[in-house]
Amino acid sequence: MIDLIQYEIAVQSMGLSMCVFMALFFFMDSKDKTSTKKSPRRFLSGFMLTYGTTFLDDLLIATEITSRYPSLHGVFIPAFFLLGPFLYFYVRDTCAMHSYTFARPLLKHFILFATSIIVLIPFYILPSDDKQVIFSENNISSTESLLPWFAIISISMVHVALLIQMLFYLVQSFRILMRYFENLKDFFSNVEDRRLDWLRLLIFMLSISWAVFTYESVVVWPDLMDDTARVATSTLDVAIIYFISFMGLRQVAVFRDQISSQKHQNKAKTDSNGKQKYARSALSEEDSERILSKLYHAIANEGLYSDSMLSLRGLSDHTNISSNYISQVINQKTDSHFFDYVNRFRIEAAMKKLTHDGEKNSILNIAYDVGFNSKSTFNTAFKRHTGKTPSEFRKMQIPVAD
């Protein structure tokens, strides 16, 4: 048992030190004075620092410091209400077109943080001895005062609010990622390196942590989880922190460099038929046809489709056509995203190679030649456009001997 407690203390110390270090690093890294663009890492810094308070709270309990100083019980609970907002801010800023800045409407995300402090006042003013009885013996000291009862009610209310709030922000963050993935197809011809799958995995891991916390709060509380379970949950939390630290160092805002030359984005509306109509567009039908012809020449005849890094911004620079106009023309004239439009040319080029090259050129080489970054992505796109895999299509092109 002693070994488990010592291991738990070691794990929580690792998590706390990592949180503090990475919070400082991300904060300093986000203050790049050479750039006017604010980094999403400033929100990640806040998330890491807040996550660190959960390790500190558990560490004070594991080392029995709260037993010696009962006034420390529950002091960090309000800070837990900042986890959800900082996660949401980071995901939204990473996926956003423009830097996500604080404004007065954003203060609503901190209402529960401030409210929890007020709600917990009955608990905070509770005598230290009564706090210790509540947390160590899971009981209320024999007293005629109603304050201990109000304290327990306030803690219960805050725990329920925290569970609901965290679930809300997990869902909202996931919805942002889903919308982001759809937006990728309007800007890039290859999206596998920009899918932010690590953030989806992070939300999944945090959801597991939320489920464990829910079980602890609703089913187990006011009893404490056994040492093995606490060590397991602490290890999961440390794994989450190290995962965030590693991936957060590699992640940058995806869309920022794609729109740096654009000060305004055309707003799209949807009519009853589901087709996009661009508000206040200056493009005439003749202009649209001219732009579409120029795009076809650049992508098909000049072979831009074979550039795996081709983006809407890159095509705009090559053709000297506004990226807004390119996106509008592709959406309206071909009823597809930039991603699908470019991939059609790639699939057509791949079909020619599969037909004429025979077996001498591997499918992987063909995928790279026409602009795909991986065989799996090529296979998926090819089957979506032709109904067959590249291997099946190639076999159909081989003449059958009499």
Side-chain angles (χ1 to χ4, degrees):
M1 189 67 65
I2 295 178
D3 290 339
L4 275 178
I5 294 176
Q6 290 176 345
Y7 181 76
E8 180 185 2
I9 293 174
V11 170
Q12 291 166 354
S13 298
M14 288 174 56
L16 176 59
S17 58
M18 191 65 172
C19 282
V20 174
F21 175 78
M22 293 308 301
L24 291 174
F25 178 86
F26 286 138
F27 178 75
M28 297 302 296
D29 185 67
S30 68
K31 300 180 73 65
D32 183 5
K33 296 182 179 180
T34 63
S35 174
T36 58
K37 302 175 185 177
K38 296 182 179 180
S39 170
R41 290 179 178 175
R42 67 194 190 278
F43 298 122
L44 191 57
S45 172
F47 180 83
M48 295 291 279
L49 188 62
T50 305
Y51 214 124
T53 62
T54 67
F55 286 108
L56 181 57
D57 187 58
D58 290 338
L59 191 60
L60 293 177
I61 296 174
T63 55
E64 299 184 353
I65 292 178
T66 51
S67 297
R68 295 193 295 272
Y69 305 98
S71 59
L72 293 176
H73 277 300
V75 69
F76 296 111
I77 291 178
F80 301 163
F81 282 94
L82 299 177
L83 279 172
F86 276 126
L87 172 67
Y88 174 78
F89 292 156
Y90 176 69
V91 173
R92 182 165 179 173
D93 198 36
T94 301
C95 300
M97 300 292 183
H98 302 282
S99 180
Y100 195 52
T101 56
F102 279 110
R104 182 172 297 179
L106 296 185
L107 294 178
K108 63 184 179 182
H109 294 281
F110 301 100
I111 291 178
L112 281 179
F113 166 71
T115 303
S116 65
I117 297 176
I118 299 173
V119 173
L120 286 173
I121 288 178
F123 176 76
Y124 289 144
I125 64 177
L126 199 65
S128 296
D129 292 340
D130 290 338
K131 287 183 181 179
Q132 185 61 26
V133 170
I134 291 175
F135 277 90
S136 62
E137 301 178 14
N138 304 326
N139 202 349
I140 296 178
S141 59
S142 56
T143 176
E144 295 181 357
S145 173
L146 294 177
L147 187 58
W149 290 102
F150 283 119
I152 288 182
I153 292 174
S154 67
I155 293 176
S156 300
M157 291 175 57
V158 167
H159 270 74
V160 171
L162 181 60
L163 292 173
I164 296 174
Q165 187 228 36
M166 194 62 199
L167 179 61
F168 171 79
Y169 281 110
L170 286 171
V171 172
Q172 291 300 313
S173 298
F174 185 76
R175 291 179 62 186
I176 289 175
L177 288 175
M178 293 299 98
R179 290 197 299 267
Y180 158 84
F181 181 66
E182 287 301 313
N183 290 336
L184 276 181
K185 297 180 180 180
D186 282 325
F187 287 85
F188 303 100
S189 62
N190 274 310
V191 299
E192 58 266 23
D193 295 333
R194 302 178 175 91
R195 288 167 55 93
L196 296 182
D197 287 333
W198 78 272
L199 277 178
R200 299 190 199 186
L201 179 58
L202 172 62
I203 291 176
F204 175 73
M205 295 170 69
L206 290 174
S207 298
I208 294 177
S209 182
W210 174 86
V212 172
F213 182 69
T214 301
Y215 175 79
E216 182 181 6
S217 300
V218 177
V219 180
V220 178
W221 196 86
D223 298 321
L224 295 177
M225 297 178 69
D226 59 66
D227 293 331
T228 303
R230 289 206 309 272
V231 169
T233 55
S234 296
T235 303
L236 172 62
D237 288 336
V238 170
I240 291 175
I241 288 303
Y242 274 79
F243 177 73
I244 295 174
S245 300
F246 176 74
M247 299 304 300
L249 288 171
R250 303 174 57 190
Q251 186 62 57
V252 295
V254 178
F255 285 130
R256 301 291 163 77
D257 61 339
Q258 296 300 316
I259 59 168
S260 59
S261 64
Q262 300 176 30
K263 294 184 178 179
H264 302 281
Q265 289 291 106
N266 285 338
K267 296 182 179 180
K269 294 184 179 180
T270 304
D271 63 11
S272 58
N273 296 323
K275 296 182 179 180
Q276 282 190 331
K277 290 185 176 180
Y278 288 77
R280 297 186 294 273
S281 174
L283 276 183
S284 64
E285 185 69 20
E286 183 180 350
D287 290 334
S288 297
E289 293 293 342
R290 178 181 56 81
I291 290 176
L292 186 64
S293 176
K294 193 170 183 179
L295 295 179
Y296 180 90
H297 177 78
I299 296 175
N301 298 341
E302 297 181 28
L304 287 187
Y305 67 84
S306 62
D307 179 8
S308 63
M309 301 302 293
L310 181 63
S311 64
L312 182 67
R313 174 74 181 277
L315 183 59
S316 173
D317 292 340
H318 183 85
T319 58
N320 292 321
I321 301 174
S322 164
S323 57
N324 283 336
Y325 285 160
I326 293 177
S327 181
Q328 177 181 343
V329 169
I330 291 177
N331 291 160
Q332 290 182 329
K333 292 297 182 180
T334 69
D335 194 26
S336 62
H337 298 286
F338 173 76
F339 171 84
D340 294 320
Y341 180 69
V342 174
N343 278 347
R344 289 177 188 173
F345 294 95
R346 290 172 174 168
I347 297 302
E348 290 175 2
M351 291 171 65
K352 293 179 181 178
K353 288 180 176 290
L354 289 169
T355 301
H356 301 299
D357 291 0
E359 298 286 346
K360 65 181 180 180
N361 201 358
S362 70
I363 291 178
L364 181 60
N365 285 337
I366 292 176
Y368 288 150
D369 289 343
V370 299
F372 287 96
N373 285 332
S374 68
K375 185 177 179 180
S376 60
T377 305
F378 173 55
N379 288 340
T380 301
F382 194 93
K383 188 168 185 178
R384 185 171 66 250
H385 282 79
T386 66
K388 302 177 180 63
T389 65
S391 299
E392 292 171 344
F393 181 84
R394 170 175 269 175
K395 290 178 181 178
M396 292 178 61
Q397 311 309 311
I398 301 176
V400 180
D402 294 333

